[in-house]
Amino acid sequence: MCGRYASTLPPEMLQELFKLLNKLDMVPRYNIAPTQPIAAIWEQHGRREAHFARWGLVPGWVKDPREFPLLINARVETMAEKPAFRDALKHGRCIIPASGYYEWHTNPDKTKQPYYITYADGRPMALAGLYASWMGPNGEEIDSVATITVPTNAQLSPIHDRMPAIIAPDAIDDWLNVRDVRAAEARQLALPLPDGVLKFHPVSTRVNSARDDDPGLIEPATVEPPKPPAAKKRVAGGSAQMDLF
């Protein structure tokens, strides 16, 4: 899963790179965590704009967001069927600009080592996401998002078995075009990246605390390289994922 990421692009570069009609007042962030407001990009009525939204999707049909589970990720394999995500896949696709993301590898002694993962050439990422708008009984409104995860590629499998779906630059227009591109077609754009496109390095466990947010978090740390995971035994009974998610 993807539970932390960094976004350090200047607002002007973000506006130019993603062809936005507006500019958000943003500062570099190195440890963005769930429930925080994050920058997300979507299109409405032909206008592509950046918005601040809560990381943790709240579907419009929820009665009370305080009593709803925190949904930060949607699995690509099931998002078209799950009630929490299927409408957003049709009408609320978005991208989340990122400089890189963090993932944790579980060591043999059960400790967890964080890694920072970026494009090998240093270009920005467009994480695939879904957004929804919730309206409360007193007129309050919450825009919220979830990132989409896919099975990891072979390069990253020693770290984790999931990775965020990263939309290729030439596929961003189709991903955001909810008027003309159907959900089934858009689903084919949310794929694992090929091996060799990304690079990664271990970082300090300070990233475990959302209170820490500084450039030192993305600097390399010295640890033993992760070993490939052992083959998992298949368990009868299917997925344990809840019906909503």
Side-chain angles (χ1 to χ4, degrees):
M1 62 178 291
C2 174
R4 298 285 176 85
Y5 72 98
S7 183
T8 62
L9 286 177
E12 296 80 10
M13 185 181 295
L14 191 75
Q15 185 179 22
E16 180 179 355
L17 183 64
F18 294 108
K19 300 180 287 187
L20 303 178
L21 295 177
N22 69 328
K23 183 174 67 174
L24 290 182
D25 186 12
M26 298 169 53
V27 298
R29 296 287 311 280
Y30 297 90
N31 194 11
I32 301 171
T35 74
Q36 294 178 352
I38 68 173
I41 295 168
W42 59 77
E43 291 184 359
Q44 285 182 321
H45 311 297
R47 296 179 58 85
R48 182 181 300 184
E49 296 181 338
H51 308 260
F52 284 118
R54 173 186 182 265
W55 189 6
L57 191 80
V58 181
W61 44 261
V62 170
K63 292 184 177 180
D64 187 348
R66 295 170 297 181
E67 299 178 358
F68 193 71
L70 182 65
L71 304 181
I72 65 169
N73 295 144
R75 295 173 67 94
V76 72
E77 299 92 335
T78 57
M79 63 182 179
E81 293 79 36
K82 300 299 179 182
F85 303 125
R86 61 190 177 198
D87 286 343
L89 179 61
K90 296 175 183 177
H91 310 295
R93 298 191 297 270
C94 66
I95 57 172
I96 296 144
S99 304
Y101 71 96
Y102 299 96
E103 195 54 84
W104 279 256
H105 170 70
T106 302
N107 297 314
D109 62 359
K110 304 304 180 183
T111 59
K112 293 188 175 183
Q113 172 60 50
Y115 285 79
Y116 185 58
I117 303 165
T118 64
Y119 268 121
D121 60 8
R123 58 191 158 118
M125 295 176 168
L127 307 183
L130 304 173
Y131 80 89
S133 295
W134 179 86
M135 296 291 295
N138 299 315
E140 62 270 40
E141 183 174 357
I142 299 174
D143 288 332
S144 60
V145 299
T147 54
I148 296 171
T149 68
V150 295
T152 195
N153 58 25
Q155 180 190 12
L156 297 181
S157 63
I159 297 177
H160 203 272
D161 61 356
R162 305 290 296 182
M163 65 185 296
I166 302 171
I167 302 297
D170 60 359
I172 289 175
D173 289 350
D174 284 344
W175 176 257
L176 295 179
N177 185 359
V178 296
R179 294 178 303 173
D180 305 314
V181 180
R182 296 179 179 271
E185 300 172 87
R187 161 69 178 78
Q188 302 305 313
L189 304 175
L191 302 169
L193 290 179
D195 293 337
V197 175
L198 300 175
K199 65 179 180 179
F200 60 88
H201 59 258
V203 294
S204 168
T205 54
R206 287 199 302 118
V207 74
N208 296 347
S209 172
R211 293 189 298 272
D212 288 330
D213 191 348
D214 60 78
L217 295 177
I218 65 175
E219 294 298 321
T222 302
V223 298
E224 290 290 329
K227 296 180 180 180
K232 294 182 179 180
K233 295 182 179 180
R234 298 185 64 86
V235 179
S239 171
Q241 189 175 19
M242 295 176 66
D243 288 342
L244 278 177
F245 320 133

